[in-house]
Amino acid sequence: MTHPLKRSVPIVVGLFALMVLAIVLSPLVGSTHINLMRVFDRSIPFESNVDAQIFFIARLPRALAGALVGGTLAAAGVVFQGLLRNPLATPYTLGVSAGASLGAMIAITFGATLPFAGAAPASLAGAMLAVTVVYLLATARHSGLSTTVLLLAGVTLNSFFSALILFVQYLANFQDLFRAMRWLMGNLDVTSYAPLAGAMPFVAISFVAFVWLARPLNLLSLGADAAGARGINVRSVQRTAFFSASLATGAAVSVGGPIGFVGIIVPHLVRLMVGADHRLVLPASIFLGAGFLVVCDVLARTVLSPMELPVGIITAVIGGPFFLWMLLRKR
Amino acid sequence: MLQCHDVVISYGERRILQKVSLSVAARGLVGVLGPNGSGKTTLLKVLSGALTPETGTVTLGGQGLGTFAPSLLARRLAVVPQETHLAFDYSVLEIVLMGRYPHLGPFEFEGPADFASAHAALNATGTDHLAERAFNTLSGGEKQRVVIASALAQLGEGTPDATTAGRVLLLDEPTAALDLRYQLEVAALLGRLHDRQDMTIVLTTHDVQFAARVCSELVLLGDGHVIAQGPPQDVLTTEQIAALYGIRVDQAAMFAATVSAGVRP
């Protein structure tokens, strides 16, 4: 008797290989042609190897950012879908991205007068604020974490924060407004390793939680009562899932802005490939999500070359029709 | 085996269970019978430990439910809900293996013993041939049998744990969502499990005939009170049925007649 998991392990390994391939090859695409052999040619010192400098300093951070953001959003999508027991949930359903966007808008608009620079920490702070508010709303009247109330609180907060975003944008001058709009489209205009290093700790903490969550999320799919009857502490699983997935989403959005659809397309495709077991779906989604966003970013940089599109437009153009197909496929 | 004493539960102002006391003997097949809204499901939640009573106690083998470690309780007491809807497409084997959760460490994968238990459980419920199927594609009766298989795997079916008896299977309205053919299937399965005499079974139902046909003992629950407890032929009298469901005596007499004709020997 082979373990059902074993059959799908080659697929997960294959997705990992595709991700590595995408990360290594995508920096080769760009206005200046570089040679992969020369990049890794150790006989040329790094200071005089222009190809290696372009590869490692100018382009690789962007590829890694795509991988980090894509993998994190896909994994967070899986966890939110498991928590809400709904394959149509996204990392942004519960208001994390609205909070992050509000934080970023405030930082961009009033940046000069605020103590910190850059939109990233502000968006992460906004995300955490939104998460806290949603959690307090969802637990205010129930001892447990009611997923229905969670969903309602998230949707309400989403529209309330959208109103605040419009208000902040109304106060902004033209130049800031332009930057704000660009941020909201979601793009991976990363030119150094610093934003990655900033987001990495939060992503790492979340991923540790995801490893622990994988099996309890399977049982949660049977329903909260049935999971509890099998010895699961449902409340602690739900709480861990909610906070870790929110933290991961907040960190990803702080790097790339609210890039849409990765968190729903990728988990869905992965389930078609490896089945429903979260112990496979989570790693497979991380790898496919990472590879997918890196490839989307290559498209964003090349389809209208020399103009660069925000990658969020590419994922939305692919994701919108895909989402409809999913809805129609489900009865 | 499973006992509750003076259990009180209320939702807001409404009292659902009013000082319910109940004793389930080991290896019995006990049906909690009552009309909709009589508190059956709430009582089952209390007996499974999902709901902690405001006052009163629940004990399994003499030990308070609250004092069990969750996984130890889950190995001795399993619950089959009325209906199971999955958000994702798990296979039947995966569902049954989920029953092994309380037997595994936090990061442990299912081993040969868990597969053996899952297969014994599939075998016991006559669902071997469905193992590779997607759960969501099964009929209502097949789903119910697979969820029972998952509960059996949870109770250590096919492993040395199973022979040390003391395990309890709770089923909430196991046939309420099923048509006649699947009702008979599930009834036959419960009869087989009861005949093995290695577990205690408690189920809730509002179906008098199903209760009379399947159960060795009945608890009549009306409006949060235990009205009667005993073998079906003793408690299912015309007067009791009329009082329990609030129907006329002549209507109840018809039921009592069909019931006494179909009672298991």
Side-chain angles (χ1 to χ4, degrees):
Chain A
M1 184 65 222
T2 56
H3 200 291
L5 290 177
K6 275 188 191 148
R7 264 174 277 167
S8 299
V9 166
I11 298 175
V12 179
V13 173
L15 290 174
F16 176 78
L18 285 178
M19 174 189 78
V20 173
L21 211 61
I23 293 173
V24 174
L25 295 186
S26 74
L28 300 184
V29 182
S31 50
T32 311
H33 180 77
I34 57 174
N35 183 330
L36 193 60
M37 299 298 282
R38 250 182 87 81
V39 168
F40 290 101
D41 190 343
R42 287 299 202 77
S43 63
I44 314 167
F46 188 75
E47 302 79 54
S48 54
N49 188 341
V50 181
D51 286 22
Q53 285 175 8
I54 293 177
F55 185 93
F56 284 108
I57 297 173
R59 293 182 185 166
L60 189 61
R62 183 166 183 149
L64 289 175
L68 181 75
V69 171
T72 305
L73 287 177
V78 170
V79 174
F80 275 123
Q81 286 149 18
L83 169 67
L84 298 173
R85 305 186 60 225
N86 187 341
L88 296 181
T90 77
Y92 305 152
T93 304
L94 297 185
V96 183
S97 69
S101 300
L102 181 62
M105 292 306 101
I106 292 173
I108 290 169
T109 308
F110 308 110
T113 54
L114 283 180
F116 47 77
S123 75
L124 192 57
M128 289 304 108
L129 173 72
V131 167
T132 311
V133 172
V134 169
Y135 182 79
L136 291 177
L137 285 173
T139 51
R141 289 189 48 211
H142 304 265
S143 54
L145 199 59
S146 156
T147 49
T148 319
V149 182
L150 203 57
L151 207 54
L152 278 173
V155 170
T156 311
L157 203 75
N158 257 330
S159 47
F160 178 65
F161 274 25
S162 299
L164 292 181
I165 289 169
L166 288 177
F167 174 68
V168 173
Q169 286 177 341
Y170 185 76
L171 301 177
N173 62 39
F174 278 121
Q175 200 189 345
D176 290 341
L177 194 58
F178 182 78
R179 282 172 56 214
M181 288 311 292
R182 278 294 167 89
W183 191 91
L184 283 176
M185 288 176 189
N187 68 72
L188 292 167
D189 198 5
V190 172
T191 49
S192 78
Y193 291 100
L196 301 179
M200 206 54 214
F202 302 105
V203 173
I205 292 171
S206 305
F207 278 20
V208 170
F210 291 175
V211 172
W212 177 76
L213 282 168
R215 203 148 55 97
L217 282 178
N218 286 340
L219 277 93
L220 210 55
S221 167
L222 296 169
D225 283 349
R230 282 168 174 77
I232 285 193
N233 185 340
V234 173
R235 207 184 301 177
S236 106
V237 167
Q238 287 178 328
R239 205 186 296 134
T240 308
F242 175 72
F243 281 114
S244 60
S246 296
L247 185 67
T249 306
V253 171
S254 78
V255 174
I259 297 169
F261 293 101
V262 181
I264 182 166
I265 301 178
V266 171
H268 191 78
L269 286 176
V270 162
R271 287 195 192 93
L272 291 178
M273 287 188 269
V274 303
D277 194 318
H278 286 86
R279 290 172 291 183
L280 286 171
V281 173
L282 271 169
S285 293
I286 291 170
F287 302 148
L288 183 63
F292 172 75
L293 197 60
V294 170
V295 171
C296 281
D297 192 45
V298 170
L299 288 177
R301 290 190 285 124
T302 51
V303 277
L304 291 182
S305 175
M307 196 168 84
E308 277 189 9
L309 284 174
V311 70
I313 293 181
I314 301 288
T315 60
V317 166
I318 299 173
F322 184 91
F323 195 81
L324 283 177
W325 170 75
M326 256 177 76
L327 277 172
L328 294 174
R329 215 178 138 266
K330 286 238 149 214
R331 288 179 283 280
Chain B
M1 174 54 48
L2 188 60
Q3 283 180 311
C4 68
H5 184 68
D6 281 349
V7 162
V8 176
I9 293 272
S10 39
Y11 293 145
E13 297 287 288
R14 251 188 82 217
R15 281 235 165 150
I16 307 294
L17 296 179
Q18 324 196 19
K19 292 213 163 203
V20 170
S21 297
L22 190 66
S23 177
V24 177
R27 300 184 177 81
L29 200 176
V30 178
V32 178
L33 181 69
N36 294 327
S38 59
K40 300 185 299 284
T41 300
T42 304
L43 177 58
L44 205 73
K45 282 189 176 174
V46 169
L47 292 177
S48 73
L51 214 55
T52 309
E54 288 147 44
T55 60
T57 54
V58 188
T59 56
L60 174 64
Q63 193 186 341
L65 278 195
T67 65
F68 280 91
S71 64
L72 289 180
L73 181 62
R75 288 184 205 182
R76 292 193 56 185
L77 194 149
V79 183
V80 175
Q82 187 174 338
E83 281 185 89
T84 300
H85 297 287
L86 294 183
F88 306 105
D89 281 327
Y90 291 97
S91 74
V92 165
L93 181 60
E94 283 176 316
I95 295 294
V96 177
L97 280 172
M98 284 184 199
R100 300 301 295 169
Y101 181 85
H103 300 265
L104 297 168
F107 297 101
E108 198 181 344
F109 283 86
E110 295 88 351
D114 302 299
F115 278 96
S117 179
H119 280 284
L122 286 166
N123 202 345
T125 53
T127 49
D128 303 85
H129 60 293
L130 303 173
E132 300 293 317
R133 289 267 299 276
F135 181 83
N136 282 336
T137 64
L138 303 182
S139 73
E142 289 169 337
K143 279 184 184 173
Q144 196 62 288
R145 278 151 62 202
V146 167
V147 176
I148 293 174
S150 182
L152 292 180
Q154 180 184 334
L155 295 175
E157 183 79 6
T159 68
D161 298 2
T163 52
T164 54
R167 25 179 220 160
V168 180
L169 181 63
L170 302 174
L171 303 101
D172 187 20
E173 301 268 3
T175 58
L178 303 180
D179 70 22
L180 196 56
R181 183 182 143 208
Y182 296 130
Q183 282 188 24
L184 291 172
E185 268 182 29
V186 170
L189 169 59
L190 291 175
R192 283 204 306 278
L193 292 177
H194 177 51
D195 290 342
R196 288 179 6 188
Q197 286 291 305
D198 61 355
M199 70 182 87
T200 308
I201 305 174
V202 182
L203 58 85
T204 65
T205 182
H206 60 255
D207 184 338
V208 178
Q209 305 203 355
F210 173 76
R213 201 170 57 239
V214 172
C215 302
S216 64
E217 192 177 332
L218 290 182
V219 176
L220 304 195
L221 193 69
D223 216 13
H225 293 282
V226 173
I227 294 176
Q229 179 170 5
Q233 57 270 33
D234 294 354
V235 295
L236 287 180
T237 61
T238 304
E239 295 73 30
Q240 299 270 35
I241 295 174
L244 184 63
Y245 286 91
I247 56 178
R248 291 198 314 270
V249 173
D250 59 310
Q251 292 169 321
M254 272 162 46
F255 257 105
T258 57
V259 162
S260 55
V263 166
R264 277 159 62 100

